[in-house]
Amino acid sequence: STISSAVEGREAQNPEAWYVLGFFEKERFKSDERWDPNSPRRESALAAFRHSMALQPQGVLLEDLEKALRFVGDTYFQQAMNGLRGLSPGQAVQSFNTYLSIDELLGATAADLDKQRAEWDRQMGLAHGQMLSAGRLGATEEQEALVAAVGHYEASLALEPEHYSTRYNLAITLYNHGGRQLKRIGPETSMFELMEIQDVCIALFEESLPVMERAHAIQPRRLETLKGL
């Protein structure tokens, strides 16, 4: 209460006062709300640290502030990764964006941020691909997951066009989705349905092929790419 009152009044332009407020909130987050993905304490700590940084701290204070910001940023990053592992990519996006904004505050260059965005979209593509492979989605959800997976891989390639594993995984995602369509053919499939499924499969395979060919050109001695081709 004392430090909160101070930063609202006579210490409003004191970067150390804002740091201390953030430090208190960070410690309360660690003790009381560590597993709360929407922790108000963590948000308050981050807001106070941002305010302190804007007041241009120097020396030891700046070092302590950067250390505290890295801790908070790491908790957002871990939360984002947990969302991916739990196959809940939608819940992870906001956490990753917050982590990225902290990294930018700490001086990350545009190239550094683009590299992290490329990796994030790569991981998002993998997460949606795993959702597809699990085979528990309805037709509409499956199509949405495919569009999301392809979109994230393409966003990653826009930043790192010659990244081997991104191209390989995009090709495999498209190919596997075609394979899933073929498995739906059974004794009750009508001729019209059969022709429609085949058209979808051919389109997916044709879309997959040049992506796999490019992956092969990037690393021509990779066995899995040759198998894919």
Side-chain angles (χ1 to χ4, degrees), residues 92-167:
V93 174
Q94 186 174 354
S95 296
F96 178 76
N97 286 336
T98 302
Y99 160 74
L100 213 60
S101 70
I102 295 172
D103 212 36
E104 185 175 16
L105 184 63
L106 289 168
T109 66
D112 293 334
L113 295 173
D114 280 348
K115 187 173 183 178
Q116 294 200 64
R117 290 189 182 99
E119 178 62 27
W120 177 254
D121 276 311
R122 191 155 40 247
Q123 294 299 324
M124 287 286 284
L126 286 169
H128 282 94
Q130 289 171 358
M131 292 169 65
L132 286 166
S133 298
R136 294 191 291 267
L137 301 177
T140 301
E141 294 174 320
E142 187 177 82
Q143 185 60 31
E144 290 173 351
L146 176 67
V147 170
V150 172
H152 283 294
Y153 282 133
E154 289 179 343
S156 183
L157 287 170
L159 296 169
E160 293 184 342
E162 297 301 290
H163 196 281
Y164 167 80
S165 70
T166 308
R167 288 195 174 274

Side-chain angles (χ1 to χ4, degrees), residues 30-45:
K30 287 166 63 177
S31 63
D32 302 335
E33 300 176 353
R34 187 65 177 265
W35 309 114
D36 181 357
N38 301 307
S39 166
R41 295 291 182 194
R42 181 174 59 171
E43 292 180 7
S44 296

